[in-house]
Amino acid sequence: MSVRIHDGVTDYEKHNVAKRVTWVAPRRHRFYRSLGKRFIDIFLVIMALPLVLMLSVLIMMDGHSPFYRQERVGRGGRIFKLWKLRTMVPDAKAELEKYLAGNDEARREWDAYQKLARDPRITKVGHFLRKSSLDEIPQLWNVLTGDMSLVGPRPMMPEQRDLYPGRAYYALRPGLTGMWQVSDRNASTFAERAEFDTTYERDVSMGLDAKLIVATVGVVLRGTGQ
C-alpha cells in the first residue's frame, strides 16, 4: 500500500471514520530488525546526550521543571513511561478540558487529530521546542532503555488505543521519528497514522531508517511541529 499525502484539511468531521488497515508480518531484513537497529539506536543516543542537557537548562530559565513523564503504549501493548521536555503550563490536562468545554470547533479538531493548531496551554519556550520537535529529545532515554527506537511509529497514549485501527504498531518499538513524523503530520488524522505504521513495518530496513533520520533534520529546520 502507499501512504497518502494530504493537502491542508479543514473539515475535521469527514475524518472521524477510522480506516481499517491490515498487517502481514514481514520476512525481510531480519538481522537488522533483531540486532542492527538496536545497535544504531544506542550509538546515536550517546552522541546526542549533550543536546538534552542544553535544552533542559533553557526550560529551567523559563521557570519550569524541565522534564515530565507520560504513559505510552509500547511494543506488544506494554505500557511504559515516556520522557519529554516540558512545553505546557502546570495542570495542562485540566486546562485542556476547560478550553474544549467552551470551544466546539476546538473540540472537533481535538477529537479528529488529538492535537490543536493553537493550543493555549503551550508556554513561550514550549512553542519553540514544539515547532522544532526538540521537545521529544528526552525520549532518547526511552530509546536507551529499549522502550523505543529512533525510528518507528508515533507513541500513542493508552486512551488512544480505541481510536487506532491498525495492528502494525504493536509489532514495533515506538519511534522518536518515523514516517508519520516526517510527513503531512499536521494534516492527517490520528486514525490515518495506521497507514504510515503499516507501510513502515512492511518496508523497514537500514536504508529506510537512514532516509527517515535525514528527513527528520529537515523537519526540525523547517519548524513544522505543533
Side-chain angles (χ1 to χ4, degrees):
M1 65 175 286
S2 61
V3 174
R4 293 182 289 113
I5 303 299
H6 306 277
D7 296 327
V9 177
T10 57
D11 184 2
Y12 310 130
E13 293 179 344
K14 74 180 181 180
H15 291 292
N16 284 341
V17 178
K19 181 177 179 181
R20 295 290 160 181
V21 181
T22 57
W23 170 73
V24 178
R27 297 181 180 180
R28 297 182 299 165
H29 305 288
R30 287 184 175 177
F31 175 78
Y32 179 70
R33 291 170 183 267
S34 61
L35 293 175
K37 186 175 175 68
R38 182 67 182 141
F39 175 79
I40 293 174
D41 281 348
I42 294 173
F43 174 76
L44 293 179
V45 166
I46 293 172
M47 297 292 291
L49 288 178
L51 178 60
V52 178
L53 296 176
M54 181 181 70
L55 292 174
S56 63
V57 170
L58 181 63
I59 295 175
M60 291 175 67
M61 292 173 62
D62 195 37
H64 297 283
S65 173
F67 302 107
Y68 75 99
R69 297 191 302 169
Q70 285 185 328
E71 287 190 341
R72 291 294 190 273
V73 180
R75 186 168 62 174
R78 187 178 68 85
I79 303 299
F80 70 96
K81 295 289 188 180
L82 174 141
W83 287 89
K84 295 191 75 172
L85 287 173
R86 188 176 299 278
T87 59
M88 292 186 175
V89 298
D91 299 320
K93 189 172 183 179
E95 288 294 323
L96 174 65
E97 288 303 318
K98 184 166 63 175
Y99 179 70
L100 296 181
N103 191 319
D104 292 339
E105 184 178 357
R107 169 63 72 180
R108 290 194 296 272
E109 182 182 0
W110 178 263
D111 288 344
Y113 297 97
Q114 294 291 287
K115 61 165 60 177
L116 297 173
R118 292 182 176 88
D119 195 322
R121 303 170 295 164
I122 303 175
T123 65
K124 291 181 180 179
V125 173
H127 277 292
F128 162 72
L129 293 174
R130 283 174 168 253
K131 289 288 287 184
S132 62
S133 299
L134 291 173
D135 60 313
E136 315 284 356
I137 286 293
Q139 292 164 35
L140 291 171
W141 176 255
N142 294 114
V143 174
L144 196 61
T145 59
D147 291 323
M148 293 178 60
S149 177
L150 285 176
V151 183
R154 171 77 170 178
M156 66 175 163
M157 295 181 285
E159 59 267 30
Q160 294 173 327
R161 283 177 290 194
D162 291 340
L163 302 175
Y164 183 87
R167 296 172 53 202
Y169 179 97
Y170 299 100
L172 299 158
R173 287 187 177 94
L176 188 62
T177 189
M179 280 190 164
W180 177 84
Q181 292 93 315
V182 301
S183 70
D184 63 338
R185 56 182 176 170
N186 295 329
S188 59
T189 66
F190 180 83
E192 287 170 334
R193 292 184 190 181
E195 298 181 40
F196 294 95
D197 298 343
T198 300
T199 300
Y200 177 72
E201 170 61 18
R202 182 192 66 201
D203 298 336
V204 61
S205 66
M206 183 184 294
L208 177 58
D209 280 0
K211 289 178 181 178
L212 291 173
I213 290 173
V214 170
T216 301
V217 176
V219 170
V220 171
L221 294 177
R222 290 194 302 272
T224 61
Q226 287 185 359

